[in-house]
Amino acid sequence: MIIDIAADSDFSIHNIPFGIFSTADRSARAGVAIGDYVLDLLALSELGVFDFDTSVLGQSTLNDFIRLGKTVTSKVRTDIQSLLQDDSSPLAGKENLFLPRAEVTMHMPVHVGDYTDFYSSIEHATNVGTMFRDPDNALLPNWRHLPVGYHGRASSIIVSGTDIHRPKGQVMPKDAQVPIFRPSARLDFELEMAFVIGQDTSLGESISTDQAEDYIFGMVLFNDWSARDIQKWEYVPLGPFLAKSFASSISPWIVTMDALAPFKVDGPEQSPKVLPYLQYSGQHNYDIALEVDITPDGSSPSTICRSNYKYMYWNMAQQLAHHTIGGCNVKVGDMMASGTISGQSKDSYGSMLELSWAGSQPVPLADGQIRVFIEDGDTVTMRGAAQRGDVRVGFGEVSAKILPAK
Ligand code: CA
């Protein structure tokens, strides 16, 4: 191995995730996370190790690189794995190729043209339905028949590390007759993962569940920030709007479906049986352990949630098949988020709404504070990693601090 990689690194030789980084003297460009380093792909291409048009590696998004297709991008990943493991490879001794990861600036890895958010965790949908509607009828009649989703806002998807001001908006106070305008008092996170589209389709074309993963380049961690008080007043009858559109944070490294393939598992049994276009064969759930920390200003982190992506009721193949069944086209860089990923146990709930049960059960932090929702100065950090034996493939983190309303 050309560089040292800690055994517990998210960015092992098995991973090779792609991102966009810059430094004081290197413009935004493509890189790969490896151990504590970023491998500069533009600089690497100057050694002549790649046989495609490497100008795409000097662009400020990965869209055109991804658009080259998996025959190219999958080979880039396996070529890098080989080069890193060959002590006599052209990378050996080339210190300018490797930059300490802690010293680079990460950027949005792709231009996101369109963003969709699903609602695919049965535990989350059941919790929300229980709190806001009827505990005996928590799931609406459509929920087990189609992956419920909505078209979200792409312009406010931001990379990890970008601070967010508490949103303001209309809320209807309890027992009031008219709404008031104020900063949200119920700011929340949603623990999600998102997949990145890797191939364009044409208008009118549909993607089957069998083909779906060919159209997915990879995945990131996704925090769908949510203002619950604004959401509660505005969402009827068309769903989330300003309560969600102020910001969504993503982790900067796109972990490829190739890297995640060893972590496929069966999904939960779906009952009743779904319509033929949503039926699938093989495994499409992924065993990815997820965690959420809250770090109050000037204090230490508390892990308040431990969940897993494998709990999802509707998988990515079904989500993409459903998304395109009406003929809606998708484009490289489009992002589709899972919906809040909750498990069955109380400590696996993927939002403060559920962890504090709509504010009725404060969540204790390690430093003695309590939280029902997110307060100004809090940093919310999500981590995710798949591990089987010694093989670890992680996402790093998505982290953002909440600043007071402007
Ligand atoms: Ca969501």
Side-chain angles (χ1 to χ4, degrees):
M1 193 74 72
I2 285 185
I3 57 167
D4 293 330
I5 304 169
D8 62 351
S9 176
D10 278 0
F11 305 119
S12 68
I13 192 72
H14 309 286
N15 193 344
I16 316 293
F18 295 91
I20 296 288
F21 76 97
S22 66
T23 67
D25 56 4
R26 297 187 198 205
S27 58
R29 62 187 61 195
V32 153
I34 182 76
D36 291 332
Y37 296 90
V38 173
L39 171 58
D40 182 335
L41 290 187
L42 185 63
L44 176 60
S45 72
E46 286 160 11
L47 300 182
V49 296
F50 298 132
D51 55 3
F52 59 93
D53 174 7
T54 55
S55 65
V56 296
L57 301 174
Q59 296 180 10
S60 59
T61 66
L62 292 170
N63 295 58
D64 285 347
F65 171 66
I66 294 170
R67 197 170 274 112
L68 293 174
K70 289 197 188 186
T71 49
V72 173
T73 59
S74 296
K75 184 168 183 299
V76 168
R77 175 173 168 271
T78 51
D79 284 352
I80 289 171
Q81 288 174 321
S82 303
L83 289 164
L84 287 169
Q85 292 178 96
D86 174 5
D87 289 334
S88 63
S89 89
L91 280 67
K94 300 280 194 319
E95 284 177 8
N96 72 314
L97 296 179
F98 297 95
L99 300 142
R101 206 154 40 75
E103 293 174 16
V104 307
T105 301
M106 296 304 299
H107 302 273
M108 279 291 291
V110 285
H111 168 73
V112 183
D114 272 300
Y115 153 55
T116 299
D117 193 23
F118 285 97
Y119 188 57
S120 288
S121 154
I122 198 166
E123 290 83 4
H124 172 69
T126 302
N127 285 338
V128 173
T130 299
M131 274 184 269
F132 291 116
R133 285 186 303 271
D134 175 3
D136 298 324
N137 245 325
L139 295 178
L140 288 167
N142 60 4
W143 201 90
R144 287 175 181 269
H145 293 281
L146 56 84
V148 169
Y150 67 97
H151 292 300
R153 184 76 196 164
S155 66
S156 52
I157 298 180
I158 50 181
V159 76
S160 178
T162 310
D163 295 342
I164 297 162
H165 286 276
R166 177 176 297 271
K168 295 178 285 193
Q170 279 198 28
V171 303
M172 178 64 103
K174 197 167 184 286
D175 303 324
Q177 300 302 312
V178 291
I180 59 170
F181 178 77
R182 69 166 193 215
S184 170
R186 296 196 145 204
L187 182 58
D188 202 354
F189 61 83
E190 289 191 335
L191 169 63
E192 306 196 16
M193 300 195 68
F195 63 85
V196 177
I197 293 294
Q199 261 193 77
D200 294 350
T201 60
S202 313
L203 198 62
E205 191 181 339
S206 304
I207 301 172
S208 70
T209 56
D210 281 346
Q211 302 166 311
E213 286 179 10
D214 297 339
Y215 286 81
I216 300 174
F217 177 69
M219 300 186 74
V220 293
L221 301 169
F222 193 100
N223 182 350
D224 177 23
W225 294 100
S226 301
R228 300 300 180 195
D229 40 3
I230 297 171
Q231 184 179 0
K232 192 175 182 188
W233 171 234
E234 74 173 3
Y235 87 102
V236 181
L238 289 184
F241 191 27
L242 308 189
K244 304 275 190 175
S245 64
F246 60 95
S248 309
S249 303
I250 66 164
S251 54
W253 295 105
I254 304 178
V255 176
T256 64
M257 299 318 288
D258 297 327
L260 292 170
F263 306 101
K264 286 184 174 216
V265 290
D266 290 329
E269 192 183 334
Q270 297 183 326
S271 176
K273 194 173 177 184
V274 297
L275 285 167
Y277 81 93
L278 290 169
Q279 291 168 13
Y280 65 92
S281 57
Q283 295 177 314
H284 294 284
N285 279 51
Y286 290 82
D287 183 359
I288 303 168
L290 302 166
E291 292 181 344
V292 184
D293 285 359
I294 293 179
T295 309
D297 210 7
S299 188
S300 50
S302 298
T303 301
I304 53 157
C305 163
R306 289 185 175 84
S307 189
N308 195 301
Y309 185 64
K310 70 183 176 186
Y311 300 146
M312 301 307 293
Y313 187 87
W314 295 101
N315 60 52
M316 283 182 275
Q318 294 179 305
Q319 290 169 339
L320 191 50
H322 184 67
H323 203 294
T324 58
I325 195 63
C328 171
N329 53 334
V330 295
K331 290 192 169 168
V332 167
D334 286 358
M335 207 163 266
M336 300 197 182
S338 56
T340 307
I341 305 162
S342 295
Q344 290 189 343
S345 64
K346 200 170 163 13
D347 66 348
S348 68
Y349 295 169
S351 65
M352 290 305 291
L353 179 70
E354 295 162 272
L355 289 163
S356 74
W357 209 251
S360 66
Q361 296 171 22
V363 176
L365 303 184
D367 64 2
Q369 299 190 49
I370 55 166
R371 286 291 180 278
V372 287
F373 287 100
I374 301 303
E375 297 190 2
D376 290 348
D378 287 353
T379 297
V380 175
T381 304
M382 298 172 177
R383 290 181 298 274
Q387 182 140 7
R388 192 163 289 178
D390 293 338
V391 178
R392 183 175 173 89
V393 170
F395 288 78
E397 63 179 38
V398 53
S399 187
K401 184 175 186 175
I402 295 299
L403 304 178
K406 263 187 186 166

